[in-house]
Amino acid sequence: MKKLLILLLIFLLGTPVFADVVWPSLYIAAGITSIKVIIVGLLVELLFVKIFTNTNLLKASIITVVMNAVTCLFGIVLIPISGFFVDVLSPFKTFHWTNWLLDYLLAILLNTLIEGFIIKLILKLKFKNIFIWLFIANAISIILCILFYGLRLGVKL
């Protein structure tokens, strides 16, 4: 029960609803928990995992779900934190297009690093062999996050 409460707290800490200050990465964190984004992102990444790991569909599906579940748990906390640092360190205003771009690139990089680590653990593949295609798959997923979630909220880049 204690672990469940800690997990719930971690989940809620990254939720934009509880933020007193808003910056672009909070939109990203909210977008990655959108059902449409999750479904389409899983399908995109399943395709990449299936093709580039030469595994059967069932194993590729399991790997895709596991790596995205882990990424979601960490990403809900790490993406807003990384965005906070972008906002604090950037010479531009919070919603300047460069901050949006840096937030999305950091989200893609964080997802790629976490998911790459999971694939490396499960399939014993070298990280350098999976980084590029996993980065591209995550870039597509994050772009879909922008399209499905960010634009629906009226976010203008």
Side-chain angles (χ1 to χ4, degrees):
M1 183 65 172
K2 190 175 182 180
K3 289 180 183 179
L4 182 61
L5 288 174
I6 291 171
L7 197 63
L8 181 62
L9 179 63
I10 290 170
F11 177 77
L12 293 176
L13 285 176
T15 306
V17 174
F18 293 94
D20 290 334
V21 179
V22 178
W23 57 92
S25 64
L26 290 177
Y27 286 107
I28 299 169
I32 62 172
T33 59
S34 165
I35 296 298
K36 287 180 186 176
V37 173
I38 290 170
I39 292 170
V40 175
L42 284 172
L43 292 174
V44 167
E45 292 182 20
L46 172 62
L47 177 68
F48 276 79
V49 170
K50 171 78 178 92
I51 291 170
F52 290 103
T53 63
N54 295 319
T55 56
N56 63 47
L57 186 59
L58 178 62
K59 190 169 187 174
S61 300
I62 292 168
I63 292 168
T64 302
V65 169
V66 168
M67 71 182 196
N68 277 281
V70 172
T71 301
C72 184
L73 286 174
F74 284 101
I76 285 173
V77 175
L78 293 177
I79 290 173
I81 290 171
S82 69
F84 174 76
F85 285 109
V86 167
D87 192 49
V88 169
L89 299 174
S90 173
F92 302 106
K93 293 181 180 177
T94 299
F95 287 97
H96 191 270
W97 69 269
T98 55
N99 290 12
W100 279 100
L101 182 62
L102 286 172
D103 281 335
Y104 281 107
L105 287 173
L106 279 173
I108 293 166
L109 184 61
L110 284 169
N111 287 357
T112 302
L113 292 173
I114 294 166
E115 292 175 2
F117 179 72
I118 298 299
I119 290 176
K120 182 179 176 180
L121 281 177
I122 295 172
L123 296 177
K124 309 292 188 233
L125 296 174
K126 291 183 180 178
F127 187 74
K128 67 179 184 176
N129 295 339
I130 59 177
F131 180 80
I132 295 296
W133 65 261
L134 196 53
F135 188 88
I136 292 167
N138 277 293
I140 292 168
S141 295
I142 295 292
I143 288 168
L144 293 172
C145 175
I146 297 168
L147 294 175
F148 284 135
Y149 192 77
L151 297 180
R152 183 173 57 89
L153 291 176
V155 173
K156 293 182 172 94
L157 301 177

